[in-house]
Amino acid sequence: MRRSILICSVLVVLGLGVAACSGNKIIRVDNGSSLKSEPQESKQDEKRDAAQVHTQLGAQLMERGDLKGAYEKFQMATQFDGNYEPAHTMLAILDERIKQPQQAEQEYRRALAIDPKNGDTNNNLGYFLCRHGRAQEAMQYFQRALADPFYKYPATANTNAAACLMRSNNAAAAEPYLRKALQAEPNYPEGLYQMAQLLYARNDAFRARAFLQRFEAQGTATPDALLLGYRIESRLGDADAARNYANRLRDQFPDSEQAQKLGATPP
């Protein structure tokens, strides 16, 4: 299971703040004519402010589905300040959305080159590599993310590392990462879901049920989680609970791939 990327959340993680989502922050971007007589530091500040505001505008356009407009804004941001890491990260996310993985990787790596020890950028690149079947390479970036003493989201990197290992059929190595994720953030939804999935794969359906119930208590309903709930309850022999999950999946996500899988494989 992967959660959909919410642009507002991405901006907060990247340090652009709540104002980037609310639109309350107004940054004046000078046309450059008044910069000639100002100190060099002030010029750089103006460029950084311009890069930030164009990245914010691009993210808003991207959220509304205007990918071409968003791309232009992100490009303008990098023209104002080529070392503004969030602009490169947003370009990478956009490139992935339009199915240009090579360009996306280049942008993730450009972002990382700006701040090689940054936890967020290392996690982003690791997650990208894992999604594209390069699990072994991805793990080194998750490790670098977790080595950043200022990284605010260790639950995310630990969960991503675990999911990557599980994709490689290495559940034994994945479990310690999930336990660290849930120690850091006990109600982290993705960590709870991944732990439920791991335990179900290990034929421990009873404990898998407990973690999935904790996941659902966070108010999250996804096709993957509902399908997993159906399979867990089927394995435990609770036909009513299994039927409830199946009905919820068909009602809430009727066109999903997961809804088509109901009953296709044994529990």
Side-chain angles (χ1 to χ4, degrees):
M1 179 194 65
R2 293 285 85 184
R3 293 170 297 168
S4 60
I5 297 176
L6 300 177
I7 300 304
C8 180
S9 298
V10 171
L11 288 171
V12 172
V13 170
L14 294 175
L16 298 185
V18 175
C21 305
S22 66
N24 293 331
K25 184 175 182 180
I26 305 296
I27 300 177
R28 180 177 179 273
V29 182
D30 197 286
N31 62 11
S33 60
S34 64
L35 297 181
K36 296 180 181 179
S37 61
E38 296 179 358
Q40 187 65 34
E41 182 178 356
S42 180
K43 283 186 179 181
Q44 187 56 45
D45 289 344
E46 289 281 349
K47 291 179 180 179
R48 177 55 57 94
D49 287 347
Q52 178 175 326
V53 75
H54 280 89
T55 302
Q56 293 172 1
L57 291 171
Q60 292 167 5
L61 290 170
M62 188 172 169
E63 189 174 21
R64 294 199 294 265
D66 183 359
L67 301 186
K68 182 178 180 181
Y71 182 82
E72 291 172 352
K73 290 297 183 183
F74 297 146
Q75 285 286 1
M76 290 178 68
T78 62
Q79 289 169 12
F80 275 108
D81 187 346
N83 289 323
Y84 189 56
E85 179 270 328
H88 291 289
T89 297
M90 295 305 295
L91 272 170
I93 293 170
L94 192 153
D95 283 330
E96 282 199 86
R97 183 174 293 189
I98 60 176
K99 302 189 185 305
Q100 295 186 356
Q102 291 183 338
Q103 291 88 330
E105 182 174 352
Q106 289 175 359
E107 293 297 340
Y108 279 126
R109 291 192 181 278
R110 284 171 183 156
L112 189 61
I114 294 167
D115 189 359
K117 295 182 179 181
N118 184 276
D120 284 321
T121 48
N122 275 288
N123 175 69
N124 290 340
L125 180 54
Y127 185 36
F128 168 84
L129 293 170
C130 185
R131 290 197 304 276
H132 289 81
R134 297 156 66 181
Q136 185 174 357
E137 186 180 359
M139 290 304 298
Q140 65 179 298
Y141 293 101
F142 293 134
Q143 294 288 358
R144 291 177 188 177
L146 293 167
D148 177 4
F150 303 109
Y151 185 40
K152 296 180 180 179
Y153 308 101
T156 299
N158 274 306
T159 300
N160 286 341
C164 202
L165 289 165
M166 288 169 66
R167 285 187 181 187
S168 303
N169 298 314
N170 195 350
E175 185 171 359
Y177 284 99
L178 287 176
R179 295 201 176 281
K180 289 178 183 177
L182 294 174
Q183 285 173 1
E185 195 173 335
N187 293 322
Y188 183 49
E190 183 71 1
L192 293 169
Y193 169 80
Q194 293 292 344
M195 182 65 86
Q197 187 179 53
L198 183 150
L199 291 169
Y200 171 79
R202 191 179 287 173
N203 294 317
D204 191 348
F206 186 77
R207 291 177 62 212
R209 171 198 272 171
F211 277 97
L212 189 64
Q213 288 174 341
R214 287 174 58 188
F215 168 85
E216 292 185 291
Q218 306 309 309
T220 307
T222 68
D224 281 320
L226 293 174
L227 179 60
L228 179 60
Y230 166 77
R231 289 175 170 168
I232 289 172
E233 297 301 338
S234 296
R235 184 170 291 178
L236 290 172
D238 191 332
D240 289 339
R243 189 180 305 111
N244 179 58
Y245 275 112
N247 290 338
R248 289 171 60 195
L249 179 53
R250 292 191 183 102
D251 291 343
Q252 296 179 41
F253 306 98
D255 299 323
S256 67
E257 178 183 348
Q258 292 81 356
Q260 308 308 313
K261 289 181 178 179
L262 279 174
T265 57

